[in-house]
Amino acid sequence: PTVDKGVDFANYFCTYAFLYHQKEMLSDRVRMDAYFNAIFENKHHFQGKTVLDVGTGSGILAIWSAQAGAKKVYAVEATKMSEHARTLIKANNLDHVVEVIEGSIEDVSLPEKVDVIISEWMGYFLLRESMFDSVICARDRWLKPTGVMYPSHARMWMAPIRSSLGDQKRNDYEGSMDEWYRFVQDTKTSYGVNMSVLTKPFSEEQKKYYLQTSLWSNLHPHQVIGTAAIVKEIDCSTATVNDVLEVRSNLLSSITGERTRLCGFGGWFDVHFRGSKVDPAQKEIELTTAPSMDDSTHWGQQVFLLHPPIHVSEGDDLNVSFSMNRSKENHRLMEIELSCDIRQSSGNILPPFSNRFYIE
Amino acid sequence: PTVDKGVDFANYFCTYAFLYHQKEMLSDRVRMDAYFNAIFENKHHFQGKTVLDVGTGSGILAIWSAQAGAKKVYAVEATKMSEHARTLIKANNLDHVVEVIEGSIEDVSLPEKVDVIISEWMGYFLLRESMFDSVICARDRWLKPTGVMYPSHARMWMAPIRSSLGDQKRNDYEGSMDEWYRFVQDTKTSYGVNMSVLTKPFSEEQKKYYLQTSLWSNLHPHQVIGTAAIVKEIDCSTATVNDVLEVRSNLLSSITGERTRLCGFGGWFDVHFRGSKVDPAQKEIELTTAPSMDDSTHWGQQVFLLHPPIHVSEGDDLNVSFSMNRSKENHRLMEIELSCDIRQSSGNILPPFSNRFYIE
Ligand SMILES: Nc1ncnc2c1ncn2[C@@H]1O[C@H](CSCC[C@H](N)C(=O)O)[C@@H](O)[C@H]1O
Ligand SMILES: Nc1ncnc2c1ncn2[C@@H]1O[C@H](CSCC[C@H](N)C(=O)O)[C@@H](O)[C@H]1O
């Protein structure tokens, strides 16, 4: 899909130009620990090597790469955050190693190929923001054939959940419709215009907003009521843009909770730092954004709600067919089609349902 | 200034494509009553006439124009809201009079010149959104020399105010800085990177956000502590884009409250429907967004805060020099320079102060 660069800058990049937002990421301990350990427990990947940091933001990954012994680090950043990165790198006495380049990775030119590409490109439910496209582009143009990707692997996960968010959102939706009917009445009475023909499009707009848009949530592990399933596995060394343009998958999940309500699905991701086949990690590191009591991340989980919830019991089997595409209006946002069969442990099969969701 | 159309659509027009947002405007009784009365108490301007509605949104002003007897109404709307407008107009049996045209007014072509241009183009503090540019463009291309503008006149106002928002915002700012220092400390300890060089740019970013960005507020009339002054008067029949590109003004205001705190300034606007010199209104209508107990609008007032507030007393004279320009990054947003001298009733002159504000 062709992307208007100006629009993309207005919509997407602008938030990253704020230190406030970079700080939010830099304060995510799970994220920080994972990258920190991935680098410093695998110094052999960095010592005397050349590194490319795709989307360096504040410069943190470039700095660590240099501190771990890299000979040269190219730190590319599309926004004006590059200036802060440059300041930070200088203040930490690493400007003889790290070179900050302001520009889209798609547009910049490096003087050499690199041994390592490091990047923190993951959005909500892994692929929101579509930044992995840029990492693929960087890899195909600038990584040596023997080079290593940081992270090297990524997975999307999904699991059935219970949640009270659904009732809340349903209430919000109904409140907004009540208000709409009052508004239609008033507009007719006071201003002589009958708006009722817009009731259907208004309700569709509100449904999309309240009921079909996925929610950020920091789920408690207890809210996961069935086995988690892998939706997609990505090998960062070989995946193409085509491999991630559309995600299609059939998932199986068994309800593990007692008699409970299936309120929807939670989606999250993990990434791994394993090095490459010929040059594996000395210590493999995992960064997971799964529901957790202590180790929650700023990504949280994406929650897709069912209206109304469905009663389920231990042993019920869910057969989910999932497909995710980029939204036509904004390639960094996603649209999901999810349909589900439930085979109860009794053998009884519930009528299948099908839902459309939006990751905004 | 050249505007990237795609960016403008992403940033500006997208909100208007939601019925939710149109409904907010349609629920503003002060706004609705003003336009309704302006039209129906001046039917002579509409009966048998041709009308252009610039930015018709839901179509409401076009519908009223037709109901007041217009022969033909061109209703131009840049967003997909045009489709809802078309539906609404049909359902109200006015599709033989009102023609909905989807497109930017700058791009569309009409088959004839019109007798009336009606538009609701006012943004916060009148000029935010810069939509008046589009109305000027429509007027210069499509209004007959004898034609009438609805509204015909507009004014910007400003007055000294007291408010507790300033203390709040100051607290928010200080809280965010406390957190920053903790963050710098943690990042050094846990991850070996010294971020303190970014303290200054971070604090500037936060100051801009918390202290220098004007706030929407629905001021109580008691919060106005001095005489209100006109910042700018616009004759909609003759004003050029150049006249509104920059607003420069010297204002005088006298403190009318007892011993109180000058916490900042409130800015608002009014517009008038007076017809034209050769074809005046039968009944002049005013739409004001001044602080009011009962008649508040969705525009509210824009509040520009001083940090810290200044003690003032009845009879103190403020001499304000005001200038407003469009922001370089987004021509629909504004930057303000405000400086102020205070001559106390005792004759004593306080040291002048100067502030920069942003309308985002
Ligand atoms: N195509 C592209 N070219 C250059 N920078 C990009 C890019 N796409 C996204 N970015 C930048 O990538 C960053 C992702 S956020 C991660 C920042 C930093 N590496 C850290 O881990 O803290 C943002 O600053 C964003 O502006
Ligand atoms: N240059 C332009 N061309 C066409 N429509 C425009 C425009 N600039 C703004 N608009 C539209 O003008 C509308 C302003 S809001 C007012 C809507 C309606 N007239 C009412 O009074 O309720 C928005 O719907 C916006 O999309």
Side-chain angles (χ1 to χ4, degrees), chain B residues 259-287:
Chain B
R259 292 168 45 80
T260 181
R261 296 194 314 163
L262 171 65
C263 299
F265 295 87
W268 63 85
F269 68 89
D270 56 23
V271 301
H272 293 83
F273 301 84
R274 297 190 186 132
S276 68
K277 278 217 185 83
V278 295
D279 190 6
Q282 281 172 354
K283 171 106 194 241
E284 285 191 11
I285 299 291
E286 177 187 70
L287 163 53

PDB file of all heavy atoms in Angstrom, chain B residues 259-287:
ATOM      1  N   ARG B 259      -9.366  43.186  46.088  1.00  0.00           N
ATOM      2  CA  ARG B 259      -8.028  42.601  46.114  1.00  0.00           C
ATOM      3  C   ARG B 259      -8.134  41.142  45.689  1.00  0.00           C
ATOM      4  O   ARG B 259      -8.847  40.351  46.291  1.00  0.00           O
ATOM      5  CB  ARG B 259      -7.450  42.673  47.533  1.00  0.00           C
ATOM      6  CG  ARG B 259      -7.141  44.100  47.999  1.00  0.00           C
ATOM      7  CD  ARG B 259      -6.856  44.153  49.490  1.00  0.00           C
ATOM      8  NE  ARG B 259      -5.963  43.075  49.898  1.00  0.00           N
ATOM      9  CZ  ARG B 259      -4.624  43.087  49.737  1.00  0.00           C
ATOM     10  NH1 ARG B 259      -4.056  44.146  49.234  1.00  0.00           N
ATOM     11  NH2 ARG B 259      -3.894  42.057  50.125  1.00  0.00           N
ATOM     12  N   THR B 260      -7.462  40.791  44.634  1.00  0.00           N
ATOM     13  CA  THR B 260      -7.607  39.446  44.079  1.00  0.00           C
ATOM     14  C   THR B 260      -6.315  39.042  43.370  1.00  0.00           C
ATOM     15  O   THR B 260      -5.330  39.769  43.398  1.00  0.00           O
ATOM     16  CB  THR B 260      -8.817  39.397  43.109  1.00  0.00           C
ATOM     17  OG1 THR B 260      -8.957  38.077  42.600  1.00  0.00           O
ATOM     18  CG2 THR B 260      -8.636  40.367  41.955  1.00  0.00           C
ATOM     19  N   ARG B 261      -6.327  37.848  42.762  1.00  0.00           N
ATOM     20  CA  ARG B 261      -5.154  37.365  42.049  1.00  0.00           C
ATOM     21  C   ARG B 261      -5.415  37.374  40.547  1.00  0.00           C
ATOM     22  O   ARG B 261      -6.414  36.807  40.088  1.00  0.00           O
ATOM     23  CB  ARG B 261      -4.812  35.931  42.472  1.00  0.00           C
ATOM     24  CG  ARG B 261      -4.420  35.787  43.935  1.00  0.00           C
ATOM     25  CD  ARG B 261      -3.771  34.429  44.212  1.00  0.00           C
ATOM     26  NE  ARG B 261      -4.514  33.326  43.604  1.00  0.00           N
ATOM     27  CZ  ARG B 261      -4.009  32.105  43.419  1.00  0.00           C
ATOM     28  NH1 ARG B 261      -2.767  31.838  43.802  1.00  0.00           N
ATOM     29  NH2 ARG B 261      -4.731  31.160  42.870  1.00  0.00           N
ATOM     30  N   LEU B 262      -4.521  37.985  39.817  1.00  0.00           N
ATOM     31  CA  LEU B 262      -4.575  37.895  38.353  1.00  0.00           C
ATOM     32  C   LEU B 262      -3.920  36.569  37.982  1.00  0.00           C
ATOM     33  O   LEU B 262      -2.698  36.424  38.065  1.00  0.00           O
ATOM     34  CB  LEU B 262      -3.824  39.067  37.725  1.00  0.00           C
ATOM     35  CG  LEU B 262      -3.604  38.989  36.215  1.00  0.00           C
ATOM     36  CD1 LEU B 262      -4.925  39.043  35.458  1.00  0.00           C
ATOM     37  CD2 LEU B 262      -2.682  40.118  35.733  1.00  0.00           C
ATOM     38  N   CYS B 263      -4.734  35.583  37.598  1.00  0.00           N
ATOM     39  CA  CYS B 263      -4.207  34.241  37.325  1.00  0.00           C
ATOM     40  C   CYS B 263      -3.951  34.019  35.846  1.00  0.00           C
ATOM     41  O   CYS B 263      -3.336  33.024  35.457  1.00  0.00           O
ATOM     42  CB  CYS B 263      -5.184  33.184  37.828  1.00  0.00           C
ATOM     43  SG  CYS B 263      -5.463  33.284  39.598  1.00  0.00           S
ATOM     44  N   GLY B 264      -4.472  34.939  35.041  1.00  0.00           N
ATOM     45  CA  GLY B 264      -4.263  34.780  33.612  1.00  0.00           C
ATOM     46  C   GLY B 264      -5.313  35.547  32.840  1.00  0.00           C
ATOM     47  O   GLY B 264      -5.916  36.493  33.368  1.00  0.00           O
ATOM     48  N   PHE B 265      -5.540  35.120  31.592  1.00  0.00           N
ATOM     49  CA  PHE B 265      -6.504  35.792  30.737  1.00  0.00           C
ATOM     50  C   PHE B 265      -7.445  34.770  30.117  1.00  0.00           C
ATOM     51  O   PHE B 265      -7.049  33.635  29.856  1.00  0.00           O
ATOM     52  CB  PHE B 265      -5.779  36.570  29.631  1.00  0.00           C
ATOM     53  CG  PHE B 265      -4.951  37.699  30.179  1.00  0.00           C
ATOM     54  CD1 PHE B 265      -3.628  37.478  30.596  1.00  0.00           C
ATOM     55  CD2 PHE B 265      -5.495  38.968  30.310  1.00  0.00           C
ATOM     56  CE1 PHE B 265      -2.871  38.519  31.130  1.00  0.00           C
ATOM     57  CE2 PHE B 265      -4.745  40.004  30.842  1.00  0.00           C
ATOM     58  CZ  PHE B 265      -3.428  39.785  31.251  1.00  0.00           C
ATOM     59  N   GLY B 266      -8.680  35.206  29.939  1.00  0.00           N
ATOM     60  CA  GLY B 266      -9.638  34.377  29.223  1.00  0.00           C
ATOM     61  C   GLY B 266      -9.868  34.978  27.852  1.00  0.00           C
ATOM     62  O   GLY B 266      -9.914  36.198  27.711  1.00  0.00           O
ATOM     63  N   GLY B 267      -9.977  34.126  26.848  1.00  0.00           N
ATOM     64  CA  GLY B 267     -10.222  34.605  25.485  1.00  0.00           C
ATOM     65  C   GLY B 267     -11.485  33.971  24.929  1.00  0.00           C
ATOM     66  O   GLY B 267     -11.721  32.780  25.147  1.00  0.00           O
ATOM     67  N   TRP B 268     -12.331  34.733  24.251  1.00  0.00           N
ATOM     68  CA  TRP B 268     -13.540  34.181  23.632  1.00  0.00           C
ATOM     69  C   TRP B 268     -13.902  35.000  22.411  1.00  0.00           C
ATOM     70  O   TRP B 268     -13.126  35.867  21.986  1.00  0.00           O
ATOM     71  CB  TRP B 268     -14.690  34.141  24.648  1.00  0.00           C
ATOM     72  CG  TRP B 268     -15.144  35.477  25.156  1.00  0.00           C
ATOM     73  CD1 TRP B 268     -16.057  36.312  24.564  1.00  0.00           C
ATOM     74  CD2 TRP B 268     -14.716  36.138  26.355  1.00  0.00           C
ATOM     75  NE1 TRP B 268     -16.215  37.442  25.320  1.00  0.00           N
ATOM     76  CE2 TRP B 268     -15.411  37.369  26.425  1.00  0.00           C
ATOM     77  CE3 TRP B 268     -13.818  35.811  27.373  1.00  0.00           C
ATOM     78  CZ2 TRP B 268     -15.231  38.277  27.470  1.00  0.00           C
ATOM     79  CZ3 TRP B 268     -13.642  36.708  28.407  1.00  0.00           C
ATOM     80  CH2 TRP B 268     -14.334  37.921  28.450  1.00  0.00           C
ATOM     81  N   PHE B 269     -15.045  34.725  21.852  1.00  0.00           N
ATOM     82  CA  PHE B 269     -15.453  35.475  20.654  1.00  0.00           C
ATOM     83  C   PHE B 269     -16.960  35.650  20.633  1.00  0.00           C
ATOM     84  O   PHE B 269     -17.705  34.990  21.371  1.00  0.00           O
ATOM     85  CB  PHE B 269     -15.006  34.749  19.376  1.00  0.00           C
ATOM     86  CG  PHE B 269     -15.721  33.443  19.144  1.00  0.00           C
ATOM     87  CD1 PHE B 269     -16.916  33.401  18.430  1.00  0.00           C
ATOM     88  CD2 PHE B 269     -15.208  32.254  19.629  1.00  0.00           C
ATOM     89  CE1 PHE B 269     -17.578  32.196  18.216  1.00  0.00           C
ATOM     90  CE2 PHE B 269     -15.873  31.047  19.429  1.00  0.00           C
ATOM     91  CZ  PHE B 269     -17.057  31.022  18.722  1.00  0.00           C
ATOM     92  N   ASP B 270     -17.411  36.577  19.791  1.00  0.00           N
ATOM     93  CA  ASP B 270     -18.818  36.597  19.418  1.00  0.00           C
ATOM     94  C   ASP B 270     -18.913  36.815  17.914  1.00  0.00           C
ATOM     95  O   ASP B 270     -17.945  37.251  17.284  1.00  0.00           O
ATOM     96  CB  ASP B 270     -19.630  37.641  20.217  1.00  0.00           C
ATOM     97  CG  ASP B 270     -19.090  39.059  20.121  1.00  0.00           C
ATOM     98  OD1 ASP B 270     -18.383  39.369  19.131  1.00  0.00           O
ATOM     99  OD2 ASP B 270     -19.361  39.851  21.036  1.00  0.00           O
ATOM    100  N   VAL B 271     -20.037  36.455  17.347  1.00  0.00           N
ATOM    101  CA  VAL B 271     -20.298  36.760  15.935  1.00  0.00           C
ATOM    102  C   VAL B 271     -21.693  37.369  15.860  1.00  0.00           C
ATOM    103  O   VAL B 271     -22.534  37.154  16.744  1.00  0.00           O
ATOM    104  CB  VAL B 271     -20.214  35.533  14.996  1.00  0.00           C
ATOM    105  CG1 VAL B 271     -18.847  34.882  15.056  1.00  0.00           C
ATOM    106  CG2 VAL B 271     -21.312  34.514  15.299  1.00  0.00           C
ATOM    107  N   HIS B 272     -21.907  38.158  14.807  1.00  0.00           N
ATOM    108  CA  HIS B 272     -23.199  38.818  14.630  1.00  0.00           C
ATOM    109  C   HIS B 272     -23.741  38.539  13.239  1.00  0.00           C
ATOM    110  O   HIS B 272     -22.971  38.363  12.282  1.00  0.00           O
ATOM    111  CB  HIS B 272     -23.049  40.330  14.842  1.00  0.00           C
ATOM    112  CG  HIS B 272     -22.720  40.674  16.259  1.00  0.00           C
ATOM    113  ND1 HIS B 272     -21.426  40.631  16.738  1.00  0.00           N
ATOM    114  CD2 HIS B 272     -23.516  41.018  17.308  1.00  0.00           C
ATOM    115  CE1 HIS B 272     -21.435  40.956  18.021  1.00  0.00           C
ATOM    116  NE2 HIS B 272     -22.687  41.185  18.403  1.00  0.00           N
ATOM    117  N   PHE B 273     -25.053  38.514  13.176  1.00  0.00           N
ATOM    118  CA  PHE B 273     -25.750  38.336  11.902  1.00  0.00           C
ATOM    119  C   PHE B 273     -26.499  39.643  11.651  1.00  0.00           C
ATOM    120  O   PHE B 273     -27.551  39.887  12.232  1.00  0.00           O
ATOM    121  CB  PHE B 273     -26.730  37.162  11.983  1.00  0.00           C
ATOM    122  CG  PHE B 273     -26.071  35.847  12.341  1.00  0.00           C
ATOM    123  CD1 PHE B 273     -25.825  35.515  13.667  1.00  0.00           C
ATOM    124  CD2 PHE B 273     -25.711  34.946  11.353  1.00  0.00           C
ATOM    125  CE1 PHE B 273     -25.224  34.308  14.005  1.00  0.00           C
ATOM    126  CE2 PHE B 273     -25.120  33.730  11.678  1.00  0.00           C
ATOM    127  CZ  PHE B 273     -24.870  33.404  13.005  1.00  0.00           C
ATOM    128  N   ARG B 274     -25.896  40.483  10.798  1.00  0.00           N
ATOM    129  CA  ARG B 274     -26.467  41.810  10.561  1.00  0.00           C
ATOM    130  C   ARG B 274     -26.828  42.035   9.110  1.00  0.00           C
ATOM    131  O   ARG B 274     -27.235  43.127   8.737  1.00  0.00           O
ATOM    132  CB  ARG B 274     -25.461  42.899  10.951  1.00  0.00           C
ATOM    133  CG  ARG B 274     -25.097  42.894  12.415  1.00  0.00           C
ATOM    134  CD  ARG B 274     -24.289  44.127  12.782  1.00  0.00           C
ATOM    135  NE  ARG B 274     -23.836  44.004  14.148  1.00  0.00           N
ATOM    136  CZ  ARG B 274     -22.574  44.224  14.567  1.00  0.00           C
ATOM    137  NH1 ARG B 274     -21.648  44.602  13.689  1.00  0.00           N
ATOM    138  NH2 ARG B 274     -22.257  44.075  15.831  1.00  0.00           N
ATOM    139  N   GLY B 275     -26.649  40.982   8.292  1.00  0.00           N
ATOM    140  CA  GLY B 275     -26.862  41.169   6.856  1.00  0.00           C
ATOM    141  C   GLY B 275     -25.791  42.088   6.293  1.00  0.00           C
ATOM    142  O   GLY B 275     -24.676  42.157   6.836  1.00  0.00           O
ATOM    143  N   SER B 276     -26.115  42.794   5.219  1.00  0.00           N
ATOM    144  CA  SER B 276     -25.129  43.695   4.611  1.00  0.00           C
ATOM    145  C   SER B 276     -25.650  45.119   4.671  1.00  0.00           C
ATOM    146  O   SER B 276     -26.801  45.353   5.030  1.00  0.00           O
ATOM    147  CB  SER B 276     -24.898  43.287   3.158  1.00  0.00           C
ATOM    148  OG  SER B 276     -26.074  43.547   2.403  1.00  0.00           O
ATOM    149  N   LYS B 277     -24.808  46.070   4.319  1.00  0.00           N
ATOM    150  CA  LYS B 277     -25.225  47.482   4.366  1.00  0.00           C
ATOM    151  C   LYS B 277     -26.449  47.719   3.501  1.00  0.00           C
ATOM    152  O   LYS B 277     -27.411  48.336   3.943  1.00  0.00           O
ATOM    153  CB  LYS B 277     -24.073  48.380   3.885  1.00  0.00           C
ATOM    154  CG  LYS B 277     -23.048  48.649   4.972  1.00  0.00           C
ATOM    155  CD  LYS B 277     -22.493  50.075   4.907  1.00  0.00           C
ATOM    156  CE  LYS B 277     -21.388  50.242   5.954  1.00  0.00           C
ATOM    157  NZ  LYS B 277     -20.062  49.732   5.467  1.00  0.00           N
ATOM    158  N   VAL B 278     -26.402  47.188   2.254  1.00  0.00           N
ATOM    159  CA  VAL B 278     -27.540  47.446   1.355  1.00  0.00           C
ATOM    160  C   VAL B 278     -28.736  46.540   1.650  1.00  0.00           C
ATOM    161  O   VAL B 278     -29.859  46.824   1.240  1.00  0.00           O
ATOM    162  CB  VAL B 278     -27.147  47.258  -0.139  1.00  0.00           C
ATOM    163  CG1 VAL B 278     -26.123  48.312  -0.535  1.00  0.00           C
ATOM    164  CG2 VAL B 278     -26.607  45.860  -0.397  1.00  0.00           C
ATOM    165  N   ASP B 279     -28.493  45.471   2.374  1.00  0.00           N
ATOM    166  CA  ASP B 279     -29.580  44.523   2.642  1.00  0.00           C
ATOM    167  C   ASP B 279     -29.476  44.043   4.094  1.00  0.00           C
ATOM    168  O   ASP B 279     -29.144  42.889   4.374  1.00  0.00           O
ATOM    169  CB  ASP B 279     -29.459  43.349   1.653  1.00  0.00           C
ATOM    170  CG  ASP B 279     -30.673  42.430   1.690  1.00  0.00           C
ATOM    171  OD1 ASP B 279     -31.654  42.764   2.397  1.00  0.00           O
ATOM    172  OD2 ASP B 279     -30.633  41.379   1.023  1.00  0.00           O
ATOM    173  N   PRO B 280     -29.762  44.958   5.028  1.00  0.00           N
ATOM    174  CA  PRO B 280     -29.522  44.650   6.442  1.00  0.00           C
ATOM    175  C   PRO B 280     -30.509  43.623   6.989  1.00  0.00           C
ATOM    176  O   PRO B 280     -31.550  43.356   6.386  1.00  0.00           O
ATOM    177  CB  PRO B 280     -29.732  46.012   7.129  1.00  0.00           C
ATOM    178  CG  PRO B 280     -30.615  46.777   6.221  1.00  0.00           C
ATOM    179  CD  PRO B 280     -30.343  46.303   4.832  1.00  0.00           C
ATOM    180  N   ALA B 281     -30.139  43.068   8.138  1.00  0.00           N
ATOM    181  CA  ALA B 281     -31.022  42.127   8.825  1.00  0.00           C
ATOM    182  C   ALA B 281     -32.271  42.862   9.301  1.00  0.00           C
ATOM    183  O   ALA B 281     -32.218  44.042   9.647  1.00  0.00           O
ATOM    184  CB  ALA B 281     -30.294  41.509  10.006  1.00  0.00           C
ATOM    185  N   GLN B 282     -33.393  42.141   9.323  1.00  0.00           N
ATOM    186  CA  GLN B 282     -34.596  42.704   9.939  1.00  0.00           C
ATOM    187  C   GLN B 282     -34.460  42.595  11.445  1.00  0.00           C
ATOM    188  O   GLN B 282     -34.868  43.462  12.194  1.00  0.00           O
ATOM    189  CB  GLN B 282     -35.842  41.957   9.435  1.00  0.00           C
ATOM    190  CG  GLN B 282     -36.236  42.435   8.047  1.00  0.00           C
ATOM    191  CD  GLN B 282     -37.327  41.612   7.406  1.00  0.00           C
ATOM    192  OE1 GLN B 282     -37.751  40.589   7.931  1.00  0.00           O
ATOM    193  NE2 GLN B 282     -37.774  42.056   6.239  1.00  0.00           N
ATOM    194  N   LYS B 283     -33.828  41.501  11.851  1.00  0.00           N
ATOM    195  CA  LYS B 283     -33.574  41.326  13.278  1.00  0.00           C
ATOM    196  C   LYS B 283     -32.124  40.881  13.426  1.00  0.00           C
ATOM    197  O   LYS B 283     -31.749  39.814  12.936  1.00  0.00           O
ATOM    198  CB  LYS B 283     -34.537  40.263  13.808  1.00  0.00           C
ATOM    199  CG  LYS B 283     -34.274  39.808  15.219  1.00  0.00           C
ATOM    200  CD  LYS B 283     -35.293  40.356  16.219  1.00  0.00           C
ATOM    201  CE  LYS B 283     -34.790  40.153  17.631  1.00  0.00           C
ATOM    202  NZ  LYS B 283     -35.672  39.301  18.423  1.00  0.00           N
ATOM    203  N   GLU B 284     -31.318  41.708  14.083  1.00  0.00           N
ATOM    204  CA  GLU B 284     -29.909  41.332  14.275  1.00  0.00           C
ATOM    205  C   GLU B 284     -29.778  40.277  15.364  1.00  0.00           C
ATOM    206  O   GLU B 284     -30.394  40.398  16.416  1.00  0.00           O
ATOM    207  CB  GLU B 284     -29.088  42.564  14.669  1.00  0.00           C
ATOM    208  CG  GLU B 284     -28.831  43.498  13.505  1.00  0.00           C
ATOM    209  CD  GLU B 284     -27.791  44.564  13.840  1.00  0.00           C
ATOM    210  OE1 GLU B 284     -27.126  44.446  14.891  1.00  0.00           O
ATOM    211  OE2 GLU B 284     -27.644  45.502  13.035  1.00  0.00           O
ATOM    212  N   ILE B 285     -28.968  39.285  15.100  1.00  0.00           N
ATOM    213  CA  ILE B 285     -28.777  38.210  16.077  1.00  0.00           C
ATOM    214  C   ILE B 285     -27.304  38.166  16.475  1.00  0.00           C
ATOM    215  O   ILE B 285     -26.424  38.365  15.644  1.00  0.00           O
ATOM    216  CB  ILE B 285     -29.204  36.854  15.484  1.00  0.00           C
ATOM    217  CG1 ILE B 285     -30.681  36.862  15.097  1.00  0.00           C
ATOM    218  CG2 ILE B 285     -28.890  35.714  16.445  1.00  0.00           C
ATOM    219  CD1 ILE B 285     -31.650  36.908  16.258  1.00  0.00           C
ATOM    220  N   GLU B 286     -27.072  37.895  17.763  1.00  0.00           N
ATOM    221  CA  GLU B 286     -25.708  37.754  18.268  1.00  0.00           C
ATOM    222  C   GLU B 286     -25.502  36.351  18.803  1.00  0.00           C
ATOM    223  O   GLU B 286     -26.386  35.776  19.422  1.00  0.00           O
ATOM    224  CB  GLU B 286     -25.461  38.759  19.398  1.00  0.00           C
ATOM    225  CG  GLU B 286     -24.069  38.597  20.016  1.00  0.00           C
ATOM    226  CD  GLU B 286     -23.838  39.464  21.248  1.00  0.00           C
ATOM    227  OE1 GLU B 286     -24.449  39.186  22.312  1.00  0.00           O
ATOM    228  OE2 GLU B 286     -23.055  40.415  21.139  1.00  0.00           O
ATOM    229  N   LEU B 287     -24.324  35.796  18.530  1.00  0.00           N
ATOM    230  CA  LEU B 287     -23.908  34.537  19.151  1.00  0.00           C
ATOM    231  C   LEU B 287     -22.654  34.850  19.956  1.00  0.00           C
ATOM    232  O   LEU B 287     -21.613  35.188  19.382  1.00  0.00           O
ATOM    233  CB  LEU B 287     -23.608  33.483  18.070  1.00  0.00           C
ATOM    234  CG  LEU B 287     -22.803  32.254  18.451  1.00  0.00           C
ATOM    235  CD1 LEU B 287     -23.401  31.530  19.652  1.00  0.00           C
ATOM    236  CD2 LEU B 287     -22.709  31.287  17.271  1.00  0.00           C
TER     237      LEU B 287
END
